[in-house]
């Protein structure tokens, strides 16, 4: 069969872009490959604009929230597993970091290997039995596990019971630089979070990330292509858990105190909301969603007791008018160039 | 030469209904086998048993002499079986290229650290995936856009992509479930020619099809099923002359007497 590529309509891509006008202009900004760097630059410049302890506290909290949303996006956005107990991994990370650093008088950073190991274990323990279930059942079981984790922390002596753990040592001290200083800790958090967001985004564009998306879209078809759907789902869960663990470690050293009250269901729901609002599966959108969810209540503080009402109304409005989220995945990639096409045609001709 | 696929007395029952009841056939490399039969004869059930989506209640499936009966679909795919589905099962929100890349999952070539740090190994393997995807899309004669989500494509194009995805698996055995359904005449002609080119790659092709003209023209051997039972297995000419096949498709003589002949209508 001759391969006639003349009908392969590359030129229509540009034609379409011209037609859409404002939308195209907007999407050219949003799809710019440097947008992540710009966002990082803004985050790094923020302390120069506003450096009150209150502002730094909010911004650090928001950055930690971003890493949670990035982790949950791996589970929900990429792999399509509805997890209603994601905050359990934040708890596992935070408690591991808190307990070990306090017991051994270690800087929190040194607890990182233990945090990762514990989160992988937690991911396996929660994921292994539940991931054989399909969507709705999975949601209910993860909800249960989230609550079990919180109630366990509430009742064990090692976790400090309802009052939790306080007086967690600082993150790290090198010479005269104390990373616990709010400005330095903010920068540290932003750098770690940026790295984790980038890593999660890159995972999404790899063989494993594609496998997650195949499983999300059609489990049977993925299975027929040789993808072990159970293993792939478990991997998504474990990656999500590790991202949550990083968040927990930062959370513990940011607040220096943790208690079961920080890990209630509402927190799981808020992280999930950030993912859905931002655009499931698109890491950039999810970061935007996380910032919106964590910062909006602060901007709405002027409305005092009505702020959560307003917040709720805003969420409903967004979901009605943009159910796919602010910034859903684009689902498009580069076409073949004309040269590549001709080269391929030539190579195929030779093979025949 | 041993057969690529050997199905022995395959049997599956759903409750009291035996959807497949004693099906046996073989498929060799470079051979096109068609499985035909009236609706509900158990053809797709047989495919699902071979590919592991159903667990057979009896009999065995051998691939190159290795027993794969009752294994998981992913393991069976690993052993060298690829398939398409009766009603397209593509990944609708993903691009054409990504859909074809799904067939290459078993190529490996990168791990998660490669992906996170964008190592040269990662770039190489991604470039390889993309080149292969284009190659198989060219092979099936797909001429549409490739960077757009699959849901924007016409039905015929989606069918082509699904075959490209199955081919990208580079399996020794390819199962096509009604590849010609919903295609127009010229598309069927290209399909016919495509199936032959797939066979020439050295693949054993087993297809389920309703279009008799296509089946008679393309297949080397035909297996006929009715009510789960295998009623014939032979060359197109043999099958055409087989009284049991004629009966299954046209009904018994005494039934004809109850129904007015077509000429009267």
């Amino acid at each position: 069969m001759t391969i006639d590529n003349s009908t392969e309509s590359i030129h229509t891509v540009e034609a379409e872009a011209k037609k859409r006008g404002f939308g195209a202009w907007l999407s050219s900004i949003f799809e710019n490959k440097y947008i992540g760097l710009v966002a990082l630059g803004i985050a790094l410049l923020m302390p120069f604009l506003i450096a009150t302890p209150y502002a730094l506290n909010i911004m650090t909290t928001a950055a930690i929230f971003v890493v949670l949303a990035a982790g949950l996006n791996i589970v929900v956005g990429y792999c399509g597993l509805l997890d209603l107990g994601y905050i359990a991994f934040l708890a596992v990370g935070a408690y591991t970091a808190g307990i070990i650093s306090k017991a051994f008088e270690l800087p929190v950073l040194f607890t990182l290997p233990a945090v990762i190991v514990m989160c992988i274990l937690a991911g396996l323990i929660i994921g292994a039995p539940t991931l054989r279930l399909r969507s709705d059942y999975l949601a209910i079981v993860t909800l249960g596990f989230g609550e079990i984790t919180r109630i366990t922390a509430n009742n064990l002596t090692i976790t400090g019971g309802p009052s939790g753990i306080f007086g967690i040592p600082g993150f790290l001290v090198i010479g005269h630089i104390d990373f616990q200083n709010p400005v330095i800790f903010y920068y540290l958090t932003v750098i770690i979070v940026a790295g984790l967001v980038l890593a999660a985004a890159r995972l999404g564009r790899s063989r494993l990330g594609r496998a997650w998306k195949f499983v999300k879209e059609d489990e049977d078809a993925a299975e027929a292509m040789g993808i072990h759907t159970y293993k792939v789902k478990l991997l998504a869960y474990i990656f999500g858990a590790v991202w949550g663990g990083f968040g927990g470690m930062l959370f513990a050293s940011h607040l220096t105190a943790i208690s079961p009250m920080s890990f209630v269901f509402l927190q799981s729901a808020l992280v999930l909301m950030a993912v859905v609002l931002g655009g499931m599966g698109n890491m950039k959108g999810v970061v935007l969603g996380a910032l919106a969810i964590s910062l909006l209540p602060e901007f709405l503080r002027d409305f005092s007791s009505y702020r959560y009402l307003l917040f709720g109304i805003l969420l409903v409005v967004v979901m009605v008018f943009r159910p796919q989220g602010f910034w859903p995945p684009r689902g498009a990639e580069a076409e073949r160039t004309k040269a590549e096409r001709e080269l391929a045609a030539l190579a195929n001709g030779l093979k025949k | 030469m041993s057969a690529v696929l050997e199905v022995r007395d395959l049997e599956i029952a759903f409750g009291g209904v035996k959807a497949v009841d004693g099906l046996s056939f073989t498929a060799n490399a470079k051979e096109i086998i068609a499985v035909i039969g009236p609706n509900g004869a158990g053809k797709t059930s047989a495919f699902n048993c071979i590919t592991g989506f159903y667990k057979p209640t009896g009999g065995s499936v051998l691939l190159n002499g290795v027993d794969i009966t009752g294994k998981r679909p992913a393991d069976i795919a690993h052993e060298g079986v690829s398939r398409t589905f009766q009603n397209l099962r593509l990944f609708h929100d993903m691009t054409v290229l990504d859909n074809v890349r799904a067939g290459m999952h078993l190529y490996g070539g990168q791990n998660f650290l490669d992906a996170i740090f964008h190592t040269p190994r990662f770039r190489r393997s991604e470039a390889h995936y993309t080149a292969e995807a284009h190659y198989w899309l060219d092979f099936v004669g797909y001429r549409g856009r490739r960077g757009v989500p699959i849901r924007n494509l016409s039905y015929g194009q989606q069918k082509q992509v699904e075959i490209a995805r199955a081919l990208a698996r580079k399996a020794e055995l390819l199962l096509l479930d009604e590849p010609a359904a919903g295609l127009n005449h010229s598309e069927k002609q290209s399909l016919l020619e495509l199936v032959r080119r797939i066979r020439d790659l050295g693949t054993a092709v087993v297809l389920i099809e309703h279009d008799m003209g296509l089946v008679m023209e393309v297949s080397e051997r035909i297996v006929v099923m009715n009510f789960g039972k295998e009623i014939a297995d032979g060359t197109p000419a043999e099958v055409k002359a087989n009284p049991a096949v004629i009966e299954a498709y046209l009904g018994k003589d005494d039934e004809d007497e109850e129904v007015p002949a077509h000429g009267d209508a």
Side-chain angles (χ1 to χ4, degrees), chain A residues 1-5 7-10 12-13 16 132 198-200 202-203 205-211 213-215 217-230 232 239 243 330-336 340-341 344-345 348 351, chain B residues 53 72-75 77-78 81-83 85 89-95 97-99 101-108 110 112 115-118 122 126 129 134-135 138-149 165-166 169 190 193 197:
Chain A
M1 183 194 250
T2 54
I3 292 153
D4 173 18
N5 280 309
T7 47
E8 207 171 309
S9 43
I10 307 294
T12 56
V13 182
E16 264 172 36
R132 295 187 195 280
L198 180 68
R202 284 181 164 184
L203 274 178
R205 291 191 300 267
S206 72
R207 169 174 173 266
L208 180 60
R210 282 194 296 270
K213 292 172 194 168
F214 298 145
V215 168
E217 293 220 11
D218 189 330
E219 234 174 274
D220 289 339
E223 187 83 31
M225 292 299 121
I227 295 168
H228 271 272
T229 51
Y230 176 67
V232 160
F239 273 104
W243 261 240
R330 203 156 133 264
E333 63 182 303
E335 298 284 341
R336 259 194 316 187
E340 281 170 342
R341 211 159 65 230
N348 291 345
K351 256 178 218 174
Chain B
F53 284 93
R72 280 187 70 120
D75 290 326
H78 214 122
V81 179
S82 190
R83 71 171 292 179
F85 291 87
R89 298 288 287 270
L90 289 159
F91 308 110
H92 289 274
D93 287 334
M94 302 180 73
T95 65
L97 287 172
D98 270 346
N99 270 274
R101 286 183 187 119
M104 304 176 204
H105 184 79
L106 296 173
Y107 294 8
Q110 50 168 279
F112 75 93
I116 289 175
F117 296 106
H118 272 195
F122 175 78
E126 285 296 298
Y129 277 48
H134 282 302
Y135 174 77
D138 286 342
F139 187 89
V140 299
Y142 174 79
R143 293 174 200 175
R145 286 171 59 181
R146 297 172 179 199
V148 294
R165 180 179 74 180
R169 168 68 199 84
S190 330
E193 191 251 358
R197 280 191 296 128

Side-chain angles (χ1 to χ4, degrees), chain B residues 200-239:
Chain B
D200 294 341
L201 293 171
T203 316
V205 184
V206 180
L207 55 96
I208 293 176
E209 194 44 71
H210 278 298
D211 185 318
M212 277 305 145
L214 191 134
V215 167
M216 293 297 166
E217 201 171 333
V218 79
S219 32
E220 270 119 31
R221 268 188 308 120
I222 299 177
V223 178
V224 190
M225 292 177 75
N226 196 18
F227 296 115
K229 291 200 193 311
E230 180 181 341
I231 56 172
D233 180 351
T235 63
E238 285 167 8
V239 164

Side-chain angles (χ1 to χ4, degrees), chain A residues 93-112 114-115 165-171 249 252-253 256 258:
Chain A
Y95 274 107
T96 309
I99 291 168
I100 294 181
S101 66
K102 221 183 150 190
F104 299 100
E105 295 286 328
L106 277 173
V108 171
L109 177 65
F110 294 160
T111 65
L112 182 60
V115 167
I165 302 176
F166 38 86
I168 296 169
F171 191 80
M249 190 186 77
S253 56
T256 70
I258 45 175

Side-chain angles (χ1 to χ4, degrees), chain A residues 58-69:
Chain A
I58 291 169
M59 292 192 299
T60 309
T61 309
I64 295 172
F65 198 73
V66 167
V67 84
L68 292 182

Side-chain angles (χ1 to χ4, degrees), chain B residues 124-214:
Chain B
R124 266 202 309 277
S125 92
E126 285 296 298
H128 177 62
Y129 277 48
T130 307
E132 282 278 320
H134 282 302
Y135 174 77
W136 290 112
L137 285 168
D138 286 342
F139 187 89
V140 299
Y142 174 79
R143 293 174 200 175
R145 286 171 59 181
R146 297 172 179 199
V148 294
I150 212 90
R151 61 183 135 75
N152 298 353
L153 269 55
S154 72
Y155 184 75
Q157 286 179 321
Q158 294 195 9
K159 286 226 129 178
Q160 285 183 317
V161 175
E162 203 192 24
I163 296 176
R165 180 179 74 180
L167 284 174
R169 168 68 199 84
K170 291 183 179 167
E172 294 159 85
L173 173 68
L174 177 64
L175 304 173
L176 301 171
D177 198 345
E178 297 200 17
L183 299 185
N184 64 33
H185 184 71
S186 74
E187 285 170 332
K188 275 182 188 169
Q189 283 308 310
S190 330
L191 177 75
L192 202 91
E193 191 251 358
L194 173 64
V195 172
R196 289 194 178 122
R197 280 191 296 128
I198 295 171
R199 172 198 58 196
D200 294 341
L201 293 171
T203 316
V205 184
V206 180
L207 55 96
I208 293 176
E209 194 44 71
H210 278 298
D211 185 318
M212 277 305 145
L214 191 134

Side-chain angles (χ1 to χ4, degrees), chain A:
Chain A
M1 183 194 250
T2 54
I3 292 153
D4 173 18
N5 280 309
S6 58
T7 47
E8 207 171 309
S9 43
I10 307 294
H11 59 279
T12 56
V13 182
E14 290 137 34
E16 264 172 36
K18 266 180 208 149
K19 240 185 299 174
R20 281 178 296 157
F22 176 72
W25 175 76
L26 203 66
S27 81
S28 76
I29 289 182
F30 274 87
E31 299 303 335
N32 190 304
K33 62 177 171 175
Y34 297 111
I35 188 137
L37 279 179
V38 172
L40 178 63
I42 292 172
L44 292 178
L45 286 175
M46 281 309 283
F48 292 100
L49 300 175
I50 181 168
T52 59
Y54 169 69
L56 279 172
N57 179 26
I58 291 169
M59 292 192 299
T60 309
T61 309
I64 295 172
F65 198 73
V66 167
V67 84
L68 292 182
L72 187 62
N73 186 39
I74 295 177
V75 181
V76 181
Y78 289 163
C79 204
L81 306 166
L82 185 53
D83 185 345
L84 293 179
Y86 184 68
I87 214 70
F89 299 122
L90 178 79
V92 171
Y95 274 107
T96 309
I99 291 168
I100 294 181
S101 66
K102 221 183 150 190
F104 299 100
E105 295 286 328
L106 277 173
V108 171
L109 177 65
F110 294 160
T111 65
L112 182 60
V115 167
I116 292 177
V117 170
M118 284 303 288
C119 283
I120 292 174
L121 279 179
L124 279 172
I125 291 169
I126 301 179
T130 55
L131 290 176
R132 295 187 195 280
L133 305 171
R134 296 236 175 180
S135 58
D136 346 9
Y137 307 103
L138 179 69
I140 293 165
V141 175
T142 52
L143 177 67
F145 266 111
E147 286 301 280
I148 290 170
T149 310
R150 182 178 63 83
I151 293 165
T152 308
N154 208 10
N155 288 295
L156 288 181
T157 38
I158 189 169
T159 56
S163 53
I165 302 176
F166 38 86
I168 296 169
F171 191 80
L172 184 67
V173 180
I174 306 173
H176 293 294
I177 307 168
D178 181 0
F179 280 86
Q180 208 59 29
N181 173 304
V183 179
I184 298 178
F185 190 77
Y186 171 73
Y187 276 115
L188 178 89
T189 308
V190 167
I191 299 293
I192 293 177
V193 169
L196 287 168
V197 168
L198 180 68
R202 284 181 164 184
L203 274 178
R205 291 191 300 267
S206 72
R207 169 174 173 266
L208 180 60
R210 282 194 296 270
W212 286 334
K213 292 172 194 168
F214 298 145
V215 168
K216 176 187 177 186
E217 293 220 11
D218 189 330
E219 234 174 274
D220 289 339
E223 187 83 31
M225 292 299 121
I227 295 168
H228 271 272
T229 51
Y230 176 67
K231 276 188 206 163
V232 160
K233 286 195 277 186
L234 198 55
L235 274 175
Y237 221 69
I238 288 171
F239 273 104
V242 170
W243 261 240
F246 268 96
M249 190 186 77
L250 291 170
F251 184 81
S253 56
H254 175 51
L255 296 182
T256 70
I258 45 175
S259 78
M261 278 305 290
S262 314
F263 311 110
V264 291
F265 170 67
L266 177 69
Q267 296 297 324
S268 289
L270 283 176
V271 182
L272 184 64
M273 212 185 280
V275 173
V276 175
L277 190 74
M280 279 195 285
N282 183 10
M283 211 42 94
K284 298 171 197 165
V286 167
V287 170
L288 199 67
L291 291 176
I293 294 286
S294 57
L295 296 178
L296 260 185
E298 302 301 330
F299 287 123
L300 294 175
R301 208 167 265 281
D302 293 341
F303 300 94
S304 65
S305 47
Y306 291 105
R307 68 187 176 127
Y308 274 106
L309 177 68
L310 269 174
F311 183 58
I313 292 171
L314 269 174
L315 287 178
V316 172
V317 169
V318 170
M319 283 293 102
V320 167
F321 289 101
R322 211 161 157 77
Q324 71 275 45
F326 289 140
W327 194 357
R330 203 156 133 264
E333 63 182 303
E335 298 284 341
R336 259 194 316 187
T337 62
K338 197 157 173 275
E340 281 170 342
R341 211 159 65 230
E342 281 160 4
L343 202 68
L346 199 69
N348 291 345
L350 287 179
K351 256 178 218 174
K352 269 192 287 182

